[in-house]
Amino acid sequence: MSIIERQTELGRSIVEINTSTLRELVTLQRENFEKYFSTNRSFGEKLPEVNDVSSFVSLQREYGETLWSNVRDAVETQNGIFSGAFKETRLAFEKAFSTTEEVVEEIVAKPAPKSKAKAKANSEASA
């Protein structure tokens, strides 16, 4: 494979990686907005049940913990998406800039790392 072919393949790979990463991030953000509105709706429905200050503080604490948990999960999922994209990009660059055909064949033979974010996002959406 010539250097021009490898560089062309690198360009295609980078575009594919960027497209899939952006698609995953947009899906994650959509799911996060849906969770946020669902959480607000459910706690808004509980608000009329509050009769005293202690129950209001308890409800507020529960709401804060739920929001924090959702944010933490979203950040972990986002980190997984970015980590997968960086690994795929590194492999694409190794393939494009390797000097021997053996290295290219080794890199091609390695399975591309799959992002755990999709599996996690799908399991969270079904929960």
Side-chain angles (χ1 to χ4, degrees):
M1 181 181 274
S2 74
I3 188 74
I4 295 172
E5 291 172 334
R6 285 191 284 183
Q7 296 303 313
T8 304
E9 182 64 30
L10 173 64
R12 282 190 207 119
S13 296
I14 296 297
V15 168
E16 290 173 9
I17 292 168
N18 288 342
T19 302
S20 67
T21 301
L22 184 61
R23 190 173 297 128
E24 289 179 33
L25 288 172
V26 168
T27 301
L28 177 65
Q29 292 304 319
R30 182 184 47 82
E31 291 171 359
N32 288 337
F33 279 124
E34 290 171 358
K35 275 187 200 177
Y36 176 74
F37 287 118
S38 173
T39 301
N40 283 339
R41 187 178 320 115
S42 69
F43 281 98
E45 292 169 355
K46 294 179 184 178
L47 203 54
E49 300 170 7
V50 173
N51 296 329
D52 57 357
V53 174
S54 63
S55 61
F56 176 74
V57 170
S58 175
L59 182 65
Q60 187 66 29
R61 183 177 296 124
E62 184 182 346
Y63 175 72
E65 289 172 356
T66 302
L67 283 180
W68 177 248
S69 174
N70 290 345
V71 168
R72 186 179 58 239
D73 291 343
V75 168
E76 288 174 359
T77 304
Q78 190 174 22
N79 286 342
I81 292 170
F82 285 128
S83 176
F86 285 131
K87 287 177 184 176
E88 290 176 22
T89 303
R90 181 181 53 81
L91 290 174
F93 273 95
E94 285 178 0
K95 181 180 174 184
F97 291 107
S98 65
T99 56
T100 64
E101 290 298 320
E102 293 174 4
V103 174
V104 172
E105 290 173 7
E106 278 182 32
I107 294 171
V108 170
K110 288 182 189 177
K114 294 293 179 184
S115 174
K116 295 180 182 178
K118 283 184 179 178
K120 186 173 184 177
N122 289 340
S123 67
E124 288 176 358
S126 64

